[in-house]
Amino acid sequence: MFDRQPRTAAVPPGWPPLVPPPEAEGWQVPAVSWLLDFCPADYRLYASWRRQPVALAWLATRHIDAQLVAMRQAYREVRVELGEHLTDEGLAQVLADLESEGVRLLAARRSAGLVYDALQGKRYVPRL
C-alpha cells in the first residue's frame, strides 16, 4: 500500500502565506482580512468590501501602487528635503528604511495581484 499524502493546491510564487489557496473552502475570508491590512483602517467599517472581495482586491492593489509611488518619491527627495536636518547616519538609516519599505511593498503588490486574479477565477497551473 502507498501512503497517501493529502494533495496541497499549488499557489504561485508570491502568494501571501496567511491566505489559503483558492481551492480551500472559505479561503476568501482570510484573503479579505489580509487585503484590508493594505487599505486605510476605516475601510474595515464598510461591509461592501467583505461582500465584494474582488472589488477590495482591485482597490488594495491601487493603494499599494500609490504607496510605492510615495516611497520612490520620498527616496528621491529625502536628501534635498531633509539633508540639512539629519545627521549622515540618520540620513543613511532613512534611506535604508525607505528601501526596505519599497521591497516590502513590491512583494505585497505581487501578492495582492495574485489574490485579485484568484478572486476573478484565474487559477495557477505550475509548470514542469
Side-chain angles (χ1 to χ4, degrees):
M1 281 183 106
F2 295 106
D3 255 343
R4 294 203 179 231
Q5 299 279 333
R7 293 183 73 187
T8 56
V11 292
W15 184 262
L18 298 176
V19 177
E23 289 75 21
E25 187 175 330
W27 75 276
Q28 292 180 345
V29 173
V32 164
S33 292
W34 183 84
L35 288 165
L36 283 168
D37 287 343
F38 291 98
C39 294
D42 288 345
Y43 278 34
R44 294 183 183 277
L45 301 173
Y46 301 103
S48 65
W49 299 132
R50 292 182 193 281
R51 286 194 303 267
Q52 306 298 327
V54 71
L56 173 62
W58 176 80
L59 189 58
T61 61
R62 276 142 184 80
H63 277 288
I64 296 168
D65 286 341
Q67 290 176 70
L68 278 164
V69 168
M71 285 296 108
R72 289 173 180 144
Q73 184 174 356
Y75 192 88
R76 285 190 309 269
E77 296 175 357
V78 68
R79 290 178 197 274
V80 173
E81 296 285 329
L82 296 178
E84 67 185 52
H85 303 288
L86 301 174
T87 64
D88 290 343
E89 296 81 22
L91 180 59
Q93 187 61 59
V94 168
L95 287 167
D97 291 347
L98 288 169
E99 185 175 345
S100 294
E101 181 62 5
V103 170
R104 185 189 75 81
L105 287 169
L106 280 172
R109 176 56 177 90
R110 170 145 175 81
S111 296
L114 293 170
V115 171
Y116 178 53
D117 288 346
L119 287 165
Q120 293 179 79
K122 298 176 186 173
R123 294 297 178 257
Y124 173 71
V125 178
R127 296 181 190 176
L128 295 178

